[in-house]
Amino acid sequence: MHAIRIDRPGGFDALRQVELPEPAPGHGQVRVVVHACGVNYADGIIRMGLYASAKALHGYPIIPGFEIAGVIDALGPGVEGWKVGERVLAPTLFGGYCDAIVLDAGHLFRVPAGLDMAQAASLPTVFLTAWFLAHRKLHPRPGDRWLVHSAAGGVGGALLQLGRLAGCRCIGVVGHSDKVALARELGAEAVLVRDQGKWWHRARELAPEGFEAVFDASGVATLRHSYALLAPTGSLVIYGFHSMLPRDGRLNWLRLAWDWLRTPRFNPLDMTQSNRSVVAANLSFLQSHAPTLRSGLDWLLSRFEEGALRPPPLSTYPLAEAARAQRDIESGRTQGKLVLTTRHAASTQV
């Protein structure tokens, strides 16, 4: 099989295409011929050697990739409820950048009708992250005001859609003006552009009483303002630190240390007096909550089946061009979701 492997952390050239033996399913497992795999910002952090769960749970060499879609082509002993030829998607916790994978049967989900393989592969990580943040870390109520950073990206766009379903009033924040239209299309009432100046002043004008939730994956560049914009009883929800990482694939350790020192340390005494809170999540450290995550993905896929949710707009790349895909997502200029397609799937390349 073909796979993209990282033998040791580094720049984009650390992503190497390799030939590996075709895996055989064991007891309770299935083999999936992979047609598409999602690309996430975290994949690049794995490449850089900074992703904590990759080091703690796997180590190097490692095949990155958190989600796939494909067709079952072999069943191991003891597998029930699945058959060869079924279209499936799955969260993978590494290993997704390949064209064949063996997974436990309990990790598979059927692809909703009307979705192609690339769309199916784009869903698990971003929508499950958004669902966990919105419905397990928070308890959204109709009329709640949300501020969503990276609103034209994968998780940000999913949060806008989930906020709309919950009856929340969402304001999006994007890095560039060419992302405004997509954020509005996904459910933002208004969209603020960071590169146009002091976005937090405009956010305060739009929500003078503050926001019940601010979702922030940007890190040191925005966290302090995000916290200040909370309403009493509001929550700052953190799921990434993009602004602290390079856009050219090369780590600057001095700058990284400086950003770490500048990262806000939230005072619990202040939080008790202001009734504000800070919460955070990383799905790769939630294996002990697998039943909860499965129920969440079941809930999400049923919403896709009925048309209440829709997949993000996609940019697709052949598997061999994984480095180009990671370079693009780290540039900060992409919209929606990036997906790698394998030799088993026809696709439109960008």
Side-chain angles (χ1 to χ4, degrees), residues 252-322:
N252 182 327
W253 289 102
L254 185 61
R255 181 192 164 192
L256 191 62
W258 174 238
D259 283 346
W260 183 84
L261 290 171
R262 294 191 303 128
T263 299
R265 273 62 172 172
F266 299 101
N267 188 331
L269 295 176
D270 171 73
M271 287 192 279
T272 56
Q273 294 173 17
S274 65
N275 286 302
R276 296 168 171 169
S277 63
V278 178
V279 298
N282 181 329
L283 290 188
S284 64
F285 279 117
L286 286 173
Q287 301 95 319
S288 60
H289 292 260
T292 297
L293 298 180
R294 183 170 186 92
S295 70
L297 194 47
D298 280 332
W299 183 88
L300 289 163
L301 293 176
S302 69
R303 299 311 183 274
F304 281 102
E305 191 83 48
E306 66 193 25
L309 292 174
R310 63 174 195 173
L314 302 181
S315 299
T316 61
Y317 303 70
L319 181 66
E321 296 186 18

Side-chain angles (χ1 to χ4, degrees), residues 1 12 27 66 74 148 156 197 248 305 320:
M1 73 172 191
F12 298 115
H27 190 275
F66 289 101
V148 179
D248 60 3
E305 191 83 48

Side-chain angles (χ1 to χ4, degrees), residues 199-210:
W199 57 270
W200 55 93
H201 289 330
R202 179 64 175 145
R204 178 65 69 191
E205 292 172 356
L206 292 170
E209 298 177 0

Side-chain angles (χ1 to χ4, degrees), residues 173 176 275:
V173 182
H176 306 283
N275 286 302

Side-chain angles (χ1 to χ4, degrees), residues 73-112:
D73 84 326
L75 305 176
V79 173
E80 298 180 355
W82 295 103
K83 60 186 179 182
V84 171
E86 286 193 274
R87 300 194 317 148
V88 295
L89 61 85
T92 56
L93 188 60
F94 319 123
Y97 283 26
C98 64
D99 59 19
I101 191 170
V102 165
L103 297 167
D104 290 343
H107 293 173
L108 301 181
F109 298 80
R110 288 178 174 85
V111 174

Side-chain angles (χ1 to χ4, degrees), residues 33 117 153 170 216 223 343:
V33 171
M117 290 297 196
C170 298
D216 196 323
L223 283 174
R343 55 182 171 164

